[in-house]
Amino acid sequence: MTFPSRRLRRLRRTPALRRLVAETNVTPSDLIAPLFVREDATEPQPIVSLPGIVQHTQESLRKEVNELASLGISGVILFGLPARKDPLGSEAWNPDGVVQVALRNLRDDHGSQMAIIADLCLDEYTDHGHCGVVTDAGDVDNDATLELYQRVALAQAEAGADMVGPSGMMDGQVGAIRQVLDRNGHENLPIMAYSAKYASAEYGPFRDAVDVTITGGGDRKGYQQDPSNAREAMAEIELDIAEGADIIMVKPALAYLDVIAAARARFDLPLAAYHVSGEYAMLKAAAANGWIDGAATAVEHLTAIKRAGADLTLTYLAREFAETLQ
Ligand code: PBG
């Protein structure tokens, strides 16, 4: 006589049995690697708070993406560091700007074999570090910013992006971008919307990676979401879908698994999660101290994000995760 619960235990006995009944398996094809490319770099520059991640030169970026492709990673998302910043962030729509050059190179290298995604925002390009036009009073002017996002979207589309990812959390950004793409022959270019993006403390290392400091110790709480709110995320996602989003996103990931699960239950579009810089940095710092097993924790975290309902995950762990599978 055994307890009925023994049924569950029997299937945990060997690695092969566990594999057979695993409900969730992360594969490299679920992952998108965020990559940084720096216009004035002559050598790849390490990012202290993101161990193992660098600011690439155009050449080192091409090499990295070749390697990611051979590891089975499906996509990359590009962030640019321009040599020159100004109040509007005009380098973001320069046809020869750093991301546009990278897009053309990667398009040449990979054809349709890799999804080359462009993050679409202005904070890396503005001298004040905000995601849009700042008024004299110091507020971000939502509607004036939309027109600039349209210019960026067109420049990225024309440089060969497979998809654009607006991350600025301006109201109406998805609709404005969809409209300008459609009017200029890019009806088939999808938009991955950073729909439920929280004003998180976990973006710190990213701001080191892109050399962004918000003027006057400012923050983004006026346009990014309050971590207290989950229902509000559903409203944000619904609006983005109505405006034409093709993929919706929740960001960050692990502290917002409830939001991911709720979005999965409610919406049928592909759902992305962004495992952000701070999540990666915490994992790496603890692992470097020998306090956790970094590789095992990485698998556990990525599995949890998928189990909660994300179809794809943007993560700085993409490369090492794919390498450990080999
Ligand atoms: C904005 C943007 C940010 C991140 C991605 N896009 C930073 C912010 O909103 O302040 C953060 C990503 C990360 O932390 O890994 N362009």
Side-chain angles (χ1 to χ4, degrees):
M1 180 57 189
T2 58
F3 298 110
S5 59
R6 188 62 61 86
R7 183 185 301 138
L8 301 174
R9 296 284 292 274
R10 284 181 195 114
L11 295 173
R12 295 175 196 157
R13 215 168 37 80
T14 71
L17 288 170
R18 291 195 293 272
R19 268 202 306 277
L20 268 179
V21 299
E23 297 172 27
T24 310
N25 289 295
V26 178
T27 70
S29 63
D30 302 325
L31 305 180
I32 295 174
L35 298 173
F36 303 101
V37 55
R38 176 173 187 140
E39 189 166 28
D40 63 8
T42 50
E43 289 292 318
Q45 306 288 317
I47 303 159
V48 175
S49 53
L50 288 177
I53 308 294
V54 301
Q55 297 170 341
H56 282 287
T57 65
Q58 296 288 357
E59 294 69 53
S60 73
L61 180 76
R62 292 176 92 150
K63 182 160 171 282
E64 176 77 9
V65 179
N66 281 333
E67 290 168 12
L68 290 169
S70 58
L71 285 164
I73 299 292
S74 296
V76 297
I77 183 160
L78 304 181
F79 296 91
L81 288 85
R84 196 177 54 79
K85 303 193 187 205
D86 61 30
L88 293 182
S90 64
E91 277 300 296
W93 61 85
N94 177 351
D96 297 314
V98 59
V99 162
Q100 280 69 260
V101 171
L103 288 168
R104 282 196 293 269
N105 288 339
L106 296 175
R107 175 68 41 241
D108 282 352
D109 293 349
H110 298 278
S112 55
Q113 293 310 301
M114 187 85 177
I116 317 286
I117 307 167
D119 181 82
L120 196 168
C121 199
L122 291 171
D123 60 320
E124 296 90 14
Y125 301 89
T126 53
D127 51 14
H128 45 70
H130 274 293
C131 296
V133 181
V134 176
T135 63
D136 293 339
D139 305 318
V140 174
D141 183 337
N142 189 91
D143 299 2
T145 301
L146 296 182
E147 199 252 315
L148 304 186
Y149 285 3
Q150 290 181 317
R151 297 185 202 180
V152 182
L154 261 192
Q156 292 176 337
E158 272 152 26
D162 282 308
M163 179 146 70
V164 295
S167 64
M169 284 297 277
M170 293 302 130
D171 246 9
Q173 62 183 10
V174 173
I177 291 166
R178 185 73 268 155
Q179 184 185 69
V180 81
L181 291 174
D182 289 353
R183 287 188 179 161
N184 289 276
H186 300 289
E187 299 87 349
N188 293 326
L189 193 82
I191 299 174
M192 176 168 68
Y194 286 63
S195 305
K197 178 172 175 180
Y198 285 88
S200 172
E202 297 182 318
Y203 306 149
F206 175 90
R207 300 204 184 136
D208 295 341
V210 292
D211 283 345
V212 168
T213 330
I214 306 177
T215 310
D219 58 47
R220 308 205 196 290
K221 293 180 182 167
Y223 44 103
Q224 298 182 350
Q225 274 191 253
D226 186 326
S228 307
N229 299 345
R231 292 195 306 269
E232 187 191 345
M234 301 304 110
E236 286 282 4
I237 295 171
E238 210 159 282
L239 286 168
D240 277 1
I241 294 174
E243 289 177 30
D246 299 282
I247 297 179
I248 52 179
M249 191 199 299
V250 174
K251 174 187 176 186
L254 292 171
Y256 300 87
L257 293 182
D258 57 329
V259 178
I260 294 174
R264 171 73 303 147
R266 184 144 160 184
F267 304 106
D268 288 327
L269 291 186
L271 174 62
Y274 199 142
H275 181 258
V276 301
S277 59
E279 302 181 85
Y280 175 88
M282 288 191 280
L283 192 161
K284 285 289 166 187
N289 276 299
W291 296 341
I292 58 169
D293 175 338
T297 306
V299 174
E300 190 173 330
H301 283 185
L302 295 176
T303 303
I305 295 165
K306 185 168 182 182
R307 192 189 65 229
D311 301 303
L312 44 149
T313 302
L314 292 78
T315 175
Y316 304 94
L317 294 165
R319 183 191 175 109
E320 63 180 77
F321 175 81
E323 279 169 350
T324 50
L325 292 189
Q326 296 223 318

